[in-house]
Amino acid sequence: MPIIKTEKLTKIYRQGAVEVVALSEVDIQISHGDFAVVAGPSGSGKTTFLNLLGALDKPTSGKIWLDEQEITALSRTDRSSLRRNHIGFVFQFYNLIPVLTAYENAEFVLLLQGVDQVQRRKKVLDLLSIVGLSGLEDRYPHELSGGQQQRVAIARALASEPALVLADEPTANLDTKTGQELLDLMQQLNSDINITFLFSSHDPEVMERARRLIILRDGRVVEDRIK
Amino acid sequence: MIVKLAARNLRRYLRRTLLTLTGIAFGTALAMIAIGLGDGTHDMMIRNGLQLGQGHITIQPEGYLQSPSAGLFLKETSGLLKIISSEPEVALSYPRVRGEGILSSASGGEGISFMGIDPGIEGEGELVLRSMDSGEFLDGPEGNWIVIGKKLAELLSLKVGRKTVLTVQDSQGQITSTLLRVKGIFHSGSPEIDRIYTLIPIKTVQKTLAMGNGVTSIAVYLKENRETKTVLKKLRSSISSEKIAVLPWQKIQPSLRDFVVLDDAFGYLYYLIILIIVSIGVLNTVLMSVMDRKREIGILMAVGMRPGSVLRMILAETCLIALLGTASGLIIGYGFHYYFATHGLDLSSFVGEFSLAGTVLDPVYYSSLRPARIIQIFTVIILTTITMGIYPAFKAARTEPVEAMEKP
Ligand SMILES: Nc1ncnc2c1ncn2[C@@H]1O[C@H](COP(=O)(O)OP(=O)(O)OP(=O)(O)O)[C@@H](O)[C@H]1O
Ligand SMILES: [Mg+2]
């Protein structure tokens, strides 16, 4: 049983009279425990694809199943609870809530889920130490480097132990060394607790490490290779 | 957590928060000052107007209002006075004889209106007493004395101690005259009042008009103007004579009533303008802060914060600002109010005393704010502010999480 299944997934952006087909009839299945990368040139539809899978946006047509549940017809509130309880996000550009500390950012989803204080504390401190941020818990995002911020985002994405983590070019803004450290971490989490990861990237290092490589061009899957 | 986020957001945009806060505080303080002074003048207007008039409630013969004539009077007053003074809301009551006549001197004659009063009753003729220009006020219910206004004194070339003749129609319809001596001259500030209004000891008037111990009216003054309706009802049921009319001041002094209504309307207009200004300010800043934070709101929603929670977060921010703003405005406003209530706002260098619709306004304005009024200002401003947060809050809750994902 795949964790993600799409059927003729299509997204068309309309801007006045102009139509941009960002994603065109994509059929794909991603299994539990996968460590997959969506690659492709700029504008090929990677972000669009991840946003649809993460229930952040609605497709123009086509369907998405997440763990057997068809999600395209869900209401805003249902999509919100789906994201809260099943998906971890790492975004490309902007990740953290500026008024919350590193600790509070990582804790945020757990708070939304109503996890009790003791468990929250243990989990968040563990995760922050895993991502190498012990001692920086009380810093605000603007007091952290880009790489550190990205790591807080990963801690947040993992805190609720989601079945699926979607990460949109998580290494794009990082130096090579930090990027590698993050990949190590995610690979380790993938093999240790079987979290499914789906990245988008044009970073060769990321593609190298992926177990599955999906290449998009002009909104279509042109290559899908399991290594 | 929502409140924590809200408080942190306010602290993060400290400058904007302080600006909004100041705006609300300023609006609240302004409302308190304006309403305090407004209510104060309002009260003064009614108080002074009623002092020249016939009290909060007037008891007079049925039909006198339609056609006042010396033939219409209340023959028996002691029973009525007993009923009136048994009401706890009543401060004082004055039997009076009113009428019109011609006052003449060597220089000619002037139509005047006179009031026969008993200056022995506490507070009677107070307003005139306060504005004596020369001579003295009446000192008892008897004696052939008259107190006149400065304007009338000029017209008739009268001075304190001079003789003058009052010609009137008595209760039998006979024209009769009596010789009076000017006891004092007052200067109320209103030329109209200074020309027409005169005071004579009540017994002298009763004798001249041949009405025995009768009076044309009993003026009833209450402790509080707003008790008028209640006391009116009670007096009407206890004085159930068809020959006696129990009337509120609004009926006796319709021009004062109209003026008070107009003054009220302006007061509310002022209130409304302050509210509109505060509202626009709040709406503008809250809306701006929501727009500026599209990305972080998008993130909050992307990681699973419910739209409803986002809505509550923005509302919580507005509530916090509203509470802090009105609270500080209340303190500032109360300070000003306290000063104006004790020292008054002295405008005598700008305006003299002036009269409007039969009432005299002192040039020193005192602020008056009842606790209910303060609570009202507080709640109205808080509610308005919070209402202004509703639209931005909905707008925030409608943010699409994808908006946060777009390239900066
Ligand atoms: N909100 C939008 N409105 C209109 N067009 C859009 C919008 N978002 C994306 N597009 C268009 O859809 C296409 C796919 O965009 P998308 O962001 O998914 O590409 P991408 O592969 O993530 O690119 P990049 O590598 O630059 O991040 C592009 O042509 C883009 O211009
Ligand atoms: Mg992209």
Side-chain angles (χ1 to χ4, degrees):
Chain A
M1 178 191 82
I3 185 165
I4 296 170
K5 183 174 164 230
T6 68
E7 192 183 283
K8 295 197 163 149
L9 192 61
T10 302
K11 179 75 182 180
I12 300 170
Y13 291 108
R14 281 195 182 81
Q15 280 187 327
V18 189
E19 284 193 353
V20 179
V21 183
L23 217 56
S24 172
E25 306 202 333
V26 172
D27 295 314
I28 215 160
Q29 292 193 7
I30 298 198
S31 338
H32 278 280
D34 232 339
F35 198 75
V37 168
V38 183
S42 185
S44 57
K46 303 181 294 291
T47 298
T48 305
F49 186 51
L50 290 193
N51 286 350
L52 289 176
L53 297 184
L56 292 168
D57 204 358
K58 283 190 169 191
T60 311
S61 64
K63 286 180 173 168
I64 305 164
W65 285 265
L66 225 131
D67 264 335
E68 306 275 274
Q69 190 189 14
E70 213 286 293
I71 65 167
T72 54
L74 294 179
S75 70
R76 274 167 65 85
T77 309
D78 287 344
R79 281 190 285 145
S80 150
S81 89
L82 180 84
R83 292 194 295 266
R84 178 167 64 246
N85 297 317
H86 300 286
I87 307 171
F89 289 95
V90 181
F91 306 111
Q92 182 176 354
F93 301 109
Y94 192 92
N95 258 302
L96 304 179
I97 310 301
V99 295
L100 300 180
T101 61
Y103 178 90
E104 289 164 338
N105 262 289
E107 184 195 29
F108 188 72
V109 182
L110 296 176
L111 264 170
L112 291 177
Q113 289 178 333
V115 176
D116 72 66
Q117 153 100 49
V118 180
Q119 264 184 295
R120 281 200 318 259
R121 189 163 177 78
K122 184 180 168 341
K123 225 172 210 166
V124 172
L125 289 179
D126 275 359
L127 272 165
L128 286 177
S129 102
I130 291 177
V131 297
L133 291 177
S134 292
L136 303 182
E137 289 89 354
D138 293 332
R139 293 231 187 145
Y140 283 91
H142 66 91
E143 299 165 331
L144 296 169
S145 72
Q148 289 168 331
Q149 290 183 28
Q150 212 74 349
R151 284 189 258 173
V152 176
I154 290 167
R156 177 186 64 199
L158 299 173
S160 59
E161 295 179 4
L164 172 67
V165 170
L166 297 171
D168 194 5
E169 315 212 23
T171 59
N173 295 328
L174 306 179
D175 61 74
T176 324
K177 187 170 154 282
T178 317
Q180 292 211 0
E181 281 170 16
L182 281 184
L183 283 169
D184 289 345
L185 170 70
M186 291 191 272
Q187 248 175 347
Q188 189 196 334
L189 289 165
N190 172 254
S191 54
D192 288 0
I193 48 177
N194 206 34
I195 294 175
T196 309
F197 282 88
L198 182 61
F199 305 103
S200 82
S201 186
H202 14 230
D203 180 352
E205 174 79 29
V206 179
M207 293 187 234
E208 178 67 29
R209 299 229 201 169
R211 277 204 303 275
R212 181 174 173 188
L213 184 64
I214 301 159
I215 297 179
L216 285 179
R217 185 158 295 137
D218 296 332
R220 289 171 193 279
V221 178
V222 292
E223 198 182 329
D224 186 353
R225 178 156 49 94
I226 295 170
K227 295 194 273 187
Chain B
M1 177 190 56
I2 285 174
V3 175
K4 184 171 89 183
L5 267 172
R8 296 253 185 108
N9 284 330
L10 292 180
R11 213 177 50 202
R12 174 154 181 256
Y13 296 95
L14 197 61
R15 224 175 50 168
R16 176 153 57 201
T17 303
L18 285 179
L19 217 67
T20 320
L21 223 107
T22 317
I24 297 172
F26 188 71
T28 312
L30 208 64
M32 281 184 69
I33 296 168
I35 290 168
L37 286 172
D39 283 5
T41 358
H42 195 87
D43 291 353
M44 170 173 78
M45 219 160 67
I46 295 174
R47 208 170 40 242
N48 290 356
L50 296 185
Q51 253 172 31
L52 288 170
Q54 297 300 318
H56 295 96
I57 293 172
T58 307
I59 296 169
Q60 59 184 24
E62 184 63 53
Y64 189 87
L65 189 66
Q66 291 74 29
S67 61
S69 83
L72 274 177
F73 57 91
L74 305 168
K75 286 192 184 64
E76 207 281 319
T77 54
S78 59
L80 288 174
L81 287 171
K82 203 169 280 166
I83 294 173
I84 294 162
S85 56
S86 70
E87 298 299 345
E89 294 90 348
V90 171
L92 289 160
S93 51
Y94 307 104
R96 288 170 180 171
V97 181
R98 281 179 292 154
E100 260 129 48
I102 293 166
L103 198 67
S104 34
S105 71
S107 333
E110 287 289 330
I112 54 126
S113 115
F114 61 83
M115 194 151 89
I117 61 163
D118 180 355
I121 306 174
E122 180 200 340
E124 179 65 306
E126 163 98 29
L127 197 69
V128 170
L129 180 66
R130 262 199 284 140
S131 40
M132 287 311 286
D133 187 65
S134 56
E136 277 160 33
F137 192 63
L138 303 175
D139 53 9
E142 282 171 276
N144 287 351
W145 297 110
I146 186 165
V147 169
I148 62 174
K150 200 170 182 182
K151 183 87 189 160
L152 185 64
E154 280 164 20
L155 286 169
L156 295 178
S157 328
L158 284 170
K159 291 212 166 63
V160 174
R162 295 280 169 83
K163 281 184 226 159
T164 175
V165 173
L166 175 67
T167 308
V168 291
Q169 193 173 30
D170 73 11
S171 59
Q172 261 67 50
Q174 303 292 318
I175 304 289
T176 164
S177 289
T178 184
L179 187 72
L180 299 170
R181 214 177 264 277
V182 177
K183 177 106 178 163
I185 295 171
F186 65 87
H187 181 52
S188 72
S190 153
E192 186 193 342
I193 290 167
D194 285 357
R195 201 194 70 71
I196 209 153
Y197 194 80
T198 65
L199 294 174
I200 303 170
I202 190 164
K203 293 236 149 81
T204 311
V205 178
Q206 284 167 335
K207 204 159 38 176
T208 310
L209 296 183
M211 56 200 286
N213 280 328
V215 299
T216 55
S217 63
I218 298 172
V220 180
Y221 287 86
L222 306 179
K223 289 169 186 147
E224 298 278 356
N225 176 41
R226 66 198 135 91
E227 309 278 15
T228 306
K229 263 202 187 116
T230 338
V231 181
L232 189 73
K233 227 178 251 158
K234 288 201 279 184
L235 288 181
R236 273 184 179 160
S237 71
S238 47
I239 306 174
S240 54
S241 160
E242 277 175 18
K243 289 191 178 146
I244 300 174
V246 180
L247 300 169
W249 62 268
Q250 287 92 339
K251 275 259 161 58
I252 304 283
Q253 290 170 278
S255 63
L256 181 62
R257 178 204 57 204
D258 292 347
F259 192 70
V260 165
V261 169
L262 193 72
D263 188 60
D264 267 345
F266 273 109
Y268 281 115
L269 195 69
Y270 201 79
Y271 211 160
L272 198 72
I273 290 171
I274 292 175
L275 283 181
I276 290 173
I277 293 171
V278 171
S279 303
I280 291 173
V282 171
L283 185 63
N284 183 46
T285 39
V286 179
L287 209 55
M288 241 166 55
S289 88
V290 167
M291 304 289 229
D292 284 358
R293 287 184 292 156
K294 247 193 162 117
R295 275 177 177 277
E296 49 186 283
I297 293 170
I299 295 285
L300 289 171
M301 298 185 84
V303 299
M305 190 163 177
R306 285 185 196 86
S309 304
V310 172
L311 186 105
R312 282 199 296 277
M313 179 183 83
I314 304 294
L315 281 180
E317 289 176 20
T318 326
C319 286
L320 282 175
I321 296 196
L323 272 171
L324 287 175
T326 31
S328 35
L330 218 58
I331 294 168
I332 300 166
Y334 195 83
F336 277 97
H337 155 70
Y338 185 78
Y339 180 83
F340 290 140
T342 48
H343 295 72
L345 175 62
D346 192 347
L347 292 182
S348 52
S349 45
F350 301 103
V351 293
E353 224 174 81
F354 58 99
S355 79
L356 277 164
T359 168
V360 176
L361 294 181
D362 300 333
V364 180
Y365 298 91
Y366 287 93
S367 180
S368 143
L369 280 175
R370 275 178 282 119
R373 199 64 151 150
I374 298 178
I375 293 168
Q376 182 206 40
I377 295 172
F378 188 71
T379 20
V380 166
I381 294 193
I382 284 195
L383 288 183
T384 317
T385 312
I386 293 171
T387 313
M388 288 305 116
I390 292 176
Y391 172 70
F394 268 100
K395 211 171 157 65
R398 276 201 307 266
T399 306
E400 284 299 331
V402 275
E403 286 173 31
M405 270 86 264
E406 280 162 13
K407 285 175 193 160

